[in-house]
Amino acid sequence: MLLETNLIALGTSTLTIMLIIYTLINSQVKHFHLLAQNTVKTAFFISLFPLYAFLNDDNANASATTTWFNLGTSGLSFTTQFDLYTLLFLPIAFLVTWSILEFSTWYMQSDPSIDVFFKYLLIFLLAMIILVCSGNLCLLFVGWEGVGIMSFLLIGWYHARANAATAALQAVLYNRVGDIGFLLAFCWLLTNAQSLYLPYILSMPPYPLVLLGFITAAASKSAQFGFHPWLASAMEGPTPVSALLHSSTMVVAGIFLLIRIHPLLSPVPWALTICLCLGAMSTFFAATYALAQNDIKKIIAYSTSSQLGLMMVAIGLNLPYLAFFHICTHAFFKAMLFLCSGLIIHSLNDEQDIRNMGGLQRALPMTTTCLSIGSFALMGTPFLAGFYSKDAIIEAASTSYVNFMALLLTLVATAFTAVYSMRLIYFASMMEPRVSPVLTCDENDNRILNSLTRLALGSILAGILIFKTTLPSHPHIHTMPMYMKLTALIVTILAFIMAYELTKTFWTVIPESAASKEFDPSFHNHLLHRAITVVTLNSAGQIIAHVLESIIHKKLGPDYSERFQSTPIKVVQVTQTARIKTYLSAFFITLFFTILI
């Protein structure tokens, strides 16, 4: 039974990858975007077979190894690993991507390069699949760099706009820091380990340099505090790119890396503490930024950063399966929120300011319904997808011997999540319309309705399905007093009530100077970049000035004059012997040559 399960997993997962590669090879066919959508749809249904097989066999694990080339004592090989993490993530990634691609056939229908756009999205998905299925660090690094370079191309899709080109470059530069950390750990392991095979690496003693390298890599890729500005800037790309980037591909790659190497982290308290505190700060600051934003896409983008911080908190609590659980549930409602925002922006003639929306529940009933479902799932409303994973993480934090400030920041961020979600629903759906009456809002397209329906069902049912059917060896139900069990729910309800009270006083009247007073979190960019630049340039200037002065003083100063004049002085000194024979010999030799000439 185990062998059959492994063969099914290996064969079907390889088939899905080969199917996507075959579609990319035939990218010159007419209507390639429809072919790409059908390919991902087929891959989704194929990926359900190994998942079903693994649900019947908890201990199954399949891997395949192919030698790439040898490096003397060690070799690089293509090693794939199909465990429960991989086989649960693949159907979710395919389903979310299928919905986004179907939505994109409507959203990008007027773009002349729609086939190239779909090719980029497929390569993006393929790079994430390689990262998830990799069984050694070499192949994982290929997928890691693949999602990085494709994010650059997709964020900068409208590269003629200065903001889009800048955002794409910013994403690359921030991720370079993490790539340096990854390469540091990679090169250390290549030098000191006999193999890059993940099970072998996880059996090694945890070395501080390796752990710091991997944590830095995950922090930059998953936009943790200090690396978070690129995530909001990535909103300059098309909405389908934002949906795919923030739901199931690039931003969760860092968290997935830490889940993979978690046996190295778990016995090291200081590494877990770094992850915990970093995640708590990230979730708090991102939620704070989201409160003050008026751009609908940036509110959702900062909510992504906040949820990534919560996943990092789960890693720091030594509960990687809860982090993975939240990755799976978060993918559905975050993709749906972005698609709803893209549809609203498209319908309102590219208007992204939520203060200029309102009353859309009548004009776009399906879109605003899905927006509300996604926002409630994001808040952790009971029995929606986000509740099962988010509530479990907060309960685990409440019952563990955890840093009190980390727990407090996480609970405050949970409250802020309810506030900005309520604010988003209120401004977009409720109140009177504040849009131009000549706009034509139309969502009656099957490409829109089908994709939103699938994601809405996932946002409602994914949590209970994953909770009941998978990860059986890791119980999510914790024994605790009732008040601790209800902490997250009470905080969310109180914050929601406070947000509704705020609507009656502050949100109904828009101040005339609202635009000038809008909070701009991009000050972080200037603060960070200016400080680093000034310190670097000043330090380099002082060092160079000191070195140049020393060189000039040594080469062209008194020392140079002494060396330059010492040779002729010594020559003259040789001739001055005070002997008459020497002087007469020099006189007659000079006279002889003069006569000859």
Side-chain angles (χ1 to χ4, degrees):
M1 178 64 182
L2 180 60
L3 180 61
E4 293 176 0
T5 305
N6 290 346
L7 289 175
I8 291 173
L10 185 61
T12 52
S13 301
T14 306
L15 179 61
T16 57
I17 296 173
M18 296 306 296
L19 190 62
I20 295 175
I21 293 174
Y22 176 76
T23 306
L24 287 170
I25 293 173
N26 295 300
S27 60
Q28 301 302 321
V29 300
K30 191 177 181 181
H31 302 305
F32 171 74
H33 57 282
L34 298 178
L35 176 62
Q37 175 195 328
N38 291 329
T39 298
V40 177
K41 175 182 176 180
T42 307
F44 164 67
F45 287 112
I46 293 175
S47 66
L48 293 177
F49 290 104
L51 177 60
Y52 177 75
F54 267 54
L55 292 180
N56 295 326
D57 189 352
D58 298 341
N59 299 316
N61 194 345
S63 64
T65 302
T66 304
T67 302
W68 186 11
F69 60 85
N70 292 319
L71 293 175
T73 56
S74 63
L76 298 181
S77 60
F78 285 123
T79 306
T80 56
Q81 179 178 353
F82 300 102
D83 57 357
L84 192 55
Y85 284 144
T86 300
L87 296 180
L88 181 57
F89 185 82
L90 286 182
I92 293 172
F94 286 136
L95 178 58
V96 171
T97 308
W98 170 27
S99 302
I100 292 171
L101 290 180
E102 186 171 1
F103 181 85
S104 301
T105 57
W106 170 83
Y107 191 85
M108 303 292 289
Q109 60 188 342
S110 59
D111 195 307
S113 302
I114 182 172
D115 288 344
V116 178
F117 180 75
F118 271 71
K119 186 195 297 184
Y120 286 177
L121 288 181
L122 267 191
I123 299 173
F124 196 24
L125 174 64
L126 181 63
M128 189 62 194
I129 294 170
I130 291 172
L131 188 148
V132 171
C133 296
S134 60
N136 68 347
L137 275 186
C138 180
L139 193 58
L140 194 147
F141 188 64
V142 172
W144 184 271
E145 288 299 313
V147 293
I149 189 61
M150 294 315 300
S151 68
F152 170 74
L153 294 174
L154 288 167
I155 293 169
W157 180 254
Y158 300 123
H159 51 80
R161 297 206 320 250
N163 287 343
T166 304
L169 186 62
Q170 186 180 11
V172 168
L173 291 178
Y174 272 99
N175 280 282
R176 285 304 93 185
V177 181
D179 293 342
I180 292 171
F182 194 110
L183 281 174
L184 179 68
F186 184 85
C187 294
W188 191 95
L189 290 169
L190 199 62
T191 306
N192 296 280
Q194 297 178 357
S195 173
L196 293 176
Y197 186 47
L198 274 176
Y200 176 80
I201 292 173
L202 298 181
S203 64
M204 294 174 60
Y207 293 95
L209 194 64
V210 175
L211 297 183
L212 283 176
F214 282 136
I215 291 173
T216 304
S220 72
K221 189 70 78 175
S222 293
Q224 298 302 302
F225 180 70
F227 301 99
H228 62 275
W230 74 265
L231 197 63
S233 301
M235 295 301 97
E236 294 295 334
T239 299
V241 172
S242 303
L244 190 59
L245 186 82
H246 286 243
S247 60
S248 57
T249 53
M250 179 165 169
V251 295
V252 299
I255 303 295
F256 195 86
L257 172 67
L258 292 184
I259 292 172
R260 275 282 186 236
I261 64 146
H262 195 268
L264 285 179
L265 292 173
S266 56
V268 186
W270 62 264
L272 294 176
T273 303
I274 289 175
C275 292
L276 177 70
C277 295
L278 188 62
M281 286 192 295
S282 301
T283 189
F284 172 73
F285 278 97
T288 307
Y289 284 166
L291 284 177
Q293 291 299 303
N294 294 315
D295 186 323
I296 185 171
K297 286 182 72 175
K298 287 195 174 180
I299 292 174
I300 303 173
Y302 280 117
S303 76
T304 301
S305 187
S306 181
Q307 298 308 302
L308 290 169
L310 193 62
M311 297 173 199
M312 188 67 89
V313 167
I315 298 288
L317 291 172
N318 209 3
L319 300 169
Y321 46 87
L322 286 185
F324 180 75
F325 190 13
H326 198 49
I327 286 175
C328 296
T329 56
H330 174 262
F332 287 102
F333 57 79
K334 190 49 57 76
M336 183 172 67
L337 284 173
F338 270 111
L339 296 190
C340 291
S341 69
L343 181 57
I344 291 172
I345 292 167
H346 203 74
S347 301
L348 300 185
N349 198 17
D350 297 333
E351 177 60 64
Q352 296 187 207
D353 195 327
I354 59 174
R355 296 170 298 181
N356 296 329
M357 300 176 187
L360 294 177
Q361 75 274 15
R362 294 182 180 88
L364 299 169
M366 178 67 177
T367 305
T368 50
T369 300
C370 291
L371 186 73
S372 300
I373 292 173
S375 298
F376 281 119
L378 177 65
M379 282 190 281
T381 304
F383 311 117
L384 294 181
F387 167 75
Y388 290 93
S389 54
K390 185 176 181 180
D391 203 65
I393 294 173
I394 296 173
E395 287 176 4
S398 303
T399 55
S400 62
Y401 295 99
V402 76
N403 187 318
F404 173 72
M405 283 306 298
L407 176 60
L408 182 63
L409 290 177
T410 305
L411 290 175
V412 173
T414 304
F416 285 172
T417 302
V419 176
Y420 66 70
S421 298
M422 172 61 193
R423 182 169 177 262
L424 179 61
I425 296 171
Y426 185 81
F427 273 108
S429 305
M430 302 166 69
M431 296 172 56
E432 70 283 351
R434 294 180 298 278
V435 300
S436 173
V438 299
L439 293 175
T440 56
C441 299
D442 184 16
E443 60 178 10
N444 297 317
D445 191 307
N446 286 333
R447 293 172 293 183
I448 300 171
L449 298 176
N450 292 340
S451 55
L452 289 182
T453 301
R454 282 192 296 271
L455 293 175
L457 289 174
S459 301
I460 297 171
L461 300 175
I464 185 68
L465 290 177
I466 298 173
F467 176 72
K468 291 294 185 181
T469 58
T470 61
L471 309 177
S473 58
H474 303 294
H476 306 296
I477 302 173
H478 303 278
T479 303
M480 65 191 77
M482 182 60 71
Y483 69 90
M484 294 181 69
K485 185 76 174 174
L486 297 177
T487 299
L489 188 59
I490 292 171
V491 167
T492 302
I493 293 173
L494 289 178
F496 191 83
I497 294 172
M498 289 174 59
Y500 186 73
E501 291 298 322
L502 285 173
T503 62
K504 300 177 182 178
T505 53
F506 296 104
W507 293 354
T508 51
V509 179
I510 302 174
E512 296 179 0
S513 58
S516 61
K517 293 183 179 179
E518 182 179 353
F519 173 69
D520 183 14
S522 62
F523 79 92
H524 182 276
N525 299 349
H526 305 303
L527 182 68
L528 185 64
H529 297 172
R530 182 59 57 87
I532 293 176
T533 306
V534 169
V535 170
T536 304
L537 289 178
N538 287 343
S539 303
Q542 292 175 1
I543 293 171
I544 291 172
H546 180 72
V547 171
L548 285 178
E549 285 178 2
S550 301
I551 292 173
I552 292 172
H553 184 74
K554 195 74 176 174
K555 297 292 186 183
L556 302 177
D559 290 345
Y560 175 74
S561 301
E562 179 183 349
R563 290 196 306 273
F564 181 75
Q565 297 177 10
S566 62
T567 303
I569 289 173
K570 290 178 180 178
V571 172
V572 172
Q573 284 178 347
V574 170
T575 62
Q576 302 300 321
T577 58
R579 293 181 180 179
I580 190 65
K581 291 181 180 180
T582 305
Y583 298 150
L584 286 174
S585 299
F587 172 74
F588 284 116
I589 291 171
T590 305
L591 181 63
F592 174 74
F593 280 109
T594 304
I595 294 171
L596 286 179
I597 293 171

